[in-house]
Amino acid sequence: MEILDINNITYNNIFFKKINRNLSKPLYFGKDFIFSTPIMKCAFGLEEYKNNHYIKLQFDGNLENHSPFFDFIKKLEYFFKSYFKTNAIATQIRKYKNYDPLLVLKVPVKKMKSGGQHFNVDIEDDKLTTIHDIKKGMLLRCILSVNNVWHNDKLTSYKLTIKKIIITT
């Protein structure tokens, strides 16, 4: 797995493999589009919403590399919106009055035949036994991928999917 340095990404080198009419897979020089967050604070721990699982990381402009990473995500979203010529994008940055912005990351889950679920994420830490052990306030660095971009005439949407979580606390 090749992890791209966000400081060296040239947006013109992002190409899209068309999956169907409204779905495309972004590739960077023909490879998966994978990059890393800086070290960020986990806002709430593992969350579930409509049968999907998420982890929200908190941007803090006072921490190293947070402002450049925030700018990278905003530019990436603008590139997606411009490329597909839509009026809007479903941003993965959540802004709230009086709080630092949050980055929403999807946790991939595989449904088991037995009815259970398996979180398809590598965790680099000796102390954690499951992803449920990730709690509010923990410092994490995540390896992310953009698997697909959905688009129609009005809206572009994508998810940042976690491939690996590195606990730094």
Side-chain angles (χ1 to χ4, degrees):
M1 167 174 54
E2 183 178 340
I3 301 169
L4 301 170
D5 179 350
I6 64 164
N7 298 311
N8 296 328
I9 291 175
T10 306
Y11 295 96
N12 292 338
N13 292 325
I14 299 173
F15 298 96
F16 293 91
K17 178 181 177 184
K18 191 171 185 172
I19 307 297
N20 63 38
R21 184 172 165 248
N22 295 323
L23 184 66
S24 299
K25 179 178 179 62
L27 300 170
Y28 194 76
F29 285 109
K31 296 181 181 176
D32 288 342
F33 193 61
I34 298 172
F35 55 93
S36 175
T37 69
I39 295 171
M40 299 176 77
K41 186 185 294 185
C42 182
F44 305 108
L46 182 68
E47 298 179 76
E48 184 177 356
Y49 179 72
K50 294 186 178 180
N51 292 326
N52 288 303
H53 292 80
Y54 298 94
I55 290 179
K56 294 177 185 163
L57 298 182
Q58 185 175 350
F59 283 101
D60 182 343
N62 298 319
L63 294 177
E64 187 178 349
N65 296 320
H66 277 232
S67 292
F69 186 69
F70 182 89
D71 293 343
F72 165 73
I73 296 295
K74 294 302 281 180
K75 287 176 188 173
L76 181 65
E77 292 180 343
Y78 179 79
F79 174 76
F80 288 164
K81 185 177 99 167
S82 299
Y83 183 89
F84 293 108
K85 298 175 178 67
T86 57
N87 296 327
I89 185 150
T91 183
Q92 298 308 300
I93 296 175
R94 303 293 186 263
K95 294 182 184 178
Y96 303 98
K97 187 177 179 181
N98 300 327
Y99 295 99
D100 289 327
L102 302 176
L103 182 65
V104 180
L105 307 177
K106 184 172 179 157
V107 179
V109 176
K110 182 178 180 181
K111 305 285 185 205
M112 306 300 283
K113 288 182 181 181
S114 63
Q117 55 191 7
H118 170 71
F119 293 96
N120 198 14
V121 175
D122 290 331
I123 299 176
E124 190 174 296
D125 185 83
D126 296 337
K127 299 174 195 101
L128 298 183
T129 56
T130 74
I131 196 164
H132 293 283
D133 293 336
I134 295 175
K135 302 294 182 207
K136 176 180 180 176
M138 291 179 84
L139 296 177
L140 317 172
R141 187 167 67 88
C142 294
I143 308 301
L144 308 176
S145 69
V146 181
N147 292 338
N148 295 304
V149 179
W150 298 268
H151 46 87
N152 60 28
D153 296 339
K154 298 175 185 162
L155 179 70
T156 300
S157 179
Y158 75 105
K159 298 286 182 215
L160 295 170
T161 304
I162 301 174
K163 296 192 80 60
K164 184 174 187 175
I165 298 172
I166 301 145
I167 310 294
T168 61
T169 54

